[in-house]
Amino acid sequence: MPDQIGEVNTAFETKPLLPVGPNFARFTAQDIPDAALERIIEMARLAPSEWNFQPWRWIVVRGESARQQLEASTLIKVPLSSAPVILICLADSMAWKSAPQHLQEMVAKSKITEREAHSTLHMLREYYSASPEVARRAARANTFVALHQLLLSAAENGISGYWVTEFDENRVKTFFHIPDNFVVAALLPLGYREETIVSSVPSLPLQSLVYKEKFGETLNITQ
């Protein structure tokens, strides 16, 4: 195991760090109460997911050395360790294996028939087991829905946060003993900002982002 960690670190150190913008601000030393953190994560738990698989898992990192380890794992210059709490956002690529339980719950609620459940289970097993990468992408996509809900909940509780996706995943998984079937989707520092960040003004008008019926067809929207 030590040799593997050394190999990961050596490969990581050769990569140049990318500069970042002002949104990656430092946080104050003020801690986040457990009750507030629980409220925030509870909202993420309630996020919708495909077949209600809920593939997301969260590691709450408060220890200083562990937070520094996460900052050292990033591929961008970001004051990650200044946050009192960093959430490691995980996506379970094997969550689809819980399909039998969810389908039986739907049968019990008369949402589908036994025959439909059997047919759907066969389809899901064939779809996901045929391509592990498809399972990883689906789990990550569902997890980011929960991630967005978590950040909205944090803002409602007066807590700032952002996500980081540029990091050495192998290094993070090794240090935090994360199983192979989990994808490290993002790192989420949470805390109280050291300075006020002025929100950037969107550069593209709404009309340039929305089309009518076909791509490129202008949709007139009253703002």
Side-chain angles (χ1 to χ4, degrees):
M1 183 65 71
D3 291 339
Q4 292 178 346
I5 295 176
E7 292 174 3
V8 171
N9 289 345
T10 300
F12 173 81
E13 290 169 356
T14 60
K15 297 179 180 179
L17 295 179
L18 300 176
V20 298
N23 284 336
F24 295 95
R26 295 187 62 84
F27 295 92
T28 68
Q30 182 180 352
D31 201 2
I32 298 177
D34 289 340
L37 186 61
E38 184 176 347
R39 287 195 300 271
I40 292 170
I41 299 178
E42 170 65 9
M43 290 304 297
R45 185 184 70 85
L46 298 175
S49 61
E50 183 182 28
W51 295 101
N52 198 28
F53 288 156
Q54 294 184 289
W56 47 77
R57 298 293 183 272
W58 314 91
I59 300 179
V60 179
V61 180
R62 289 185 181 271
E64 182 178 358
S65 61
R67 288 184 286 115
Q68 291 175 347
Q69 179 69 217
L70 287 174
E71 181 172 315
S73 299
T74 61
L75 304 178
I76 56 178
K77 294 180 179 179
V78 53
L80 205 65
S81 62
S82 69
V85 174
I86 301 176
L87 298 183
I88 302 177
C89 175
L90 304 177
D92 185 3
S93 64
M94 304 298 288
W96 62 270
K97 288 195 171 184
S98 63
Q101 173 188 345
H102 295 299
L103 290 172
Q104 284 305 311
E105 290 174 355
M106 294 177 70
V107 171
K109 296 177 181 178
S110 299
K111 292 184 176 181
I112 58 176
T113 65
E114 285 281 0
R115 184 175 180 178
E116 289 171 333
H118 179 77
S119 175
T120 301
L121 181 59
H122 176 75
M123 177 193 68
L124 287 172
R125 284 174 171 167
E126 188 176 68
Y127 179 72
Y128 285 116
S129 61
S131 175
E133 184 54 36
V134 168
R136 288 169 61 90
R137 288 201 303 267
R140 183 185 285 110
N142 280 277
T143 297
F144 263 90
V145 174
L147 182 155
H148 279 274
Q149 192 146 314
L150 186 150
L151 288 176
L152 290 173
S153 178
E156 289 178 354
N157 284 270
I159 295 172
S160 298
Y162 52 83
W163 71 80
V164 176
T165 57
E166 297 294 330
F167 50 83
D168 188 319
E169 183 179 18
N170 289 334
R171 182 171 178 173
V172 174
K173 294 182 75 169
T174 298
F175 187 86
F176 292 93
H177 307 284
I178 298 170
D180 291 338
N181 59 293
F182 283 92
V183 178
V184 183
L187 306 177
L188 280 75
L190 296 172
Y192 302 93
R193 288 190 184 274
E194 195 172 73
E195 69 273 4
T196 301
I197 300 297
V198 179
S199 299
S200 58
V201 178
S203 58
L204 297 176
L206 184 60
Q207 287 86 347
S208 68
L209 305 175
V210 186
Y211 305 119
K212 180 180 180 180
E213 304 294 343
K214 297 180 181 179
F215 186 89
E217 294 291 334
T218 302
L219 175 64
N220 295 322
I221 299 177
T222 301
Q223 300 189 46

